[in-house]
Amino acid sequence: GESVGLHLPTLSVQEGDNSIINCAYSNSASDYFIWYKQESGKGPQFIIDIRSNMDKRQGQRVTVLLNKTVKHLSLQIAATQPGDSAVYFCAENRGTGNQFYFGTGTSLTVIP
Amino acid sequence: NAGVTQTPKFRILKIGQSMTLQCTQDMNHNYMYWYRQDPGMGLKLIYYSVGAGITDKGEVPNGYNVSRSTTEDFPLRLELAAPSQTSVYFCASSYSDRNQPQHFGDGTRLSIL
């Protein structure tokens, strides 16, 4: 079936290192993707998005890469800080309608 | 700027009771959404609305109802609470374009006992 999933449910990194969080999707019609950060007890917070006509997009300390050939999305966080500890979700719009489909999330823990 | 505000933050219901989860946004967004999030899972779309007077079902609409009488408010109604509806509920809104990020409230934690 179709799914939005993550390769690793948990990720631990040392403070100052770079983090990479991955997301796989299976619908080739998906044309818009979003990464969200969710801290404990809070709602998801927008980090960065990318449209399917792009391969890469950069923000402040974050980069999203989209590989449409293998249907893979990744979020790179540079110089990871303790405040980056949270659950990260990818979400996709599958090309029609207004519905977004969310992955199960990766829990990132930053070790001081 | 308050963004998306959800009330209540916590609630415990007995099986068979009903309640309304409130959601309001002050960003003049036309699109609004209701999601549920179960432990260790991603968000599942319950209902959404593209404007006042217009609502549509998402992935998991059974057991819920919504209305959208104003741009600002999008309440979610549980008529006969069941244990399977124990979850965290998030409301979100976005501009009138499906390729726009959603702004989320901080959720309502609901337990059905």
Side-chain angles (χ1 to χ4, degrees), chain A residues 94-109:
Chain A
R94 293 178 176 171
T96 60
N98 301 296
Q99 296 194 31
F100 281 86
Y101 296 85
F102 285 75
T104 53
T106 291
S107 177
L108 175 66
T109 300

Side-chain angles (χ1 to χ4, degrees), chain B residues 63-101:
Chain B
Y64 307 94
N65 281 299
V66 293
S67 60
R68 184 92 182 274
S69 57
T70 67
T71 298
E72 295 78 19
D73 300 306
F74 190 39
L76 177 71
R77 178 85 176 162
L78 281 72
E79 291 293 350
L80 290 171
S84 61
Q85 294 177 306
T86 293
S87 191
V88 182
Y89 292 84
F90 288 100
C91 178
S93 70
S94 71
Y95 288 107
S96 302
D97 183 335
R98 66 177 190 84
N99 288 340
Q100 289 288 335

Side-chain angles (χ1 to χ4, degrees), chain A residues 42-99:
Chain A
K42 297 288 188 180
Q45 178 185 3
F46 170 79
I47 301 174
I48 193 168
D49 59 359
I50 189 168
R51 288 172 170 72
S52 60
N53 61 353
M54 303 172 69
D55 297 323
K56 179 180 179 179
R57 192 168 188 214
Q58 289 183 293
Q60 188 174 13
R61 281 202 308 118
V62 294
T63 300
V64 55
L65 299 177
L66 176 62
N67 186 330
K68 295 180 287 295
T69 302
V70 296
K71 298 188 185 67
H72 184 267
L73 190 71
S74 68
L75 176 70
Q76 300 178 3
I77 305 173
T80 313
Q81 302 169 358
D84 295 327
S85 293
V87 176
Y88 290 82
F89 293 94
C90 64
E92 64 175 323
N93 188 302
R94 293 178 176 171
T96 60
N98 301 296
Q99 296 194 31

Side-chain angles (χ1 to χ4, degrees), chain A residues 98-100 102, chain B residues 4-8 19-24 31-37 43-49 55-61 64-68 72-78 88-93 102-110:
Chain A
N98 301 296
Q99 296 194 31
F100 281 86
F102 285 75
Chain B
V4 178
T5 302
Q6 293 184 238
T7 57
M19 78 163 293
T20 299
L21 283 66
Q22 302 292 345
C23 175
T24 188
Y31 288 15
M32 296 188 74
Y33 306 81
W34 273 107
Y35 293 90
R36 60 177 287 172
Q37 184 178 35
L43 284 74
K44 298 289 186 184
L45 182 65
I46 304 172
Y47 271 96
Y48 67 98
S49 169
T55 62
D56 210 344
K57 296 178 180 179
E59 288 183 88
V60 290
Y64 307 94
N65 281 299
V66 293
S67 60
R68 184 92 182 274
E72 295 78 19
D73 300 306
F74 190 39
L76 177 71
R77 178 85 176 162
L78 281 72
V88 182
Y89 292 84
F90 288 100
C91 178
S93 70
Q102 297 168 7
H103 300 256
F104 285 83
D106 283 337
T108 293
R109 285 145 186 82
L110 181 63

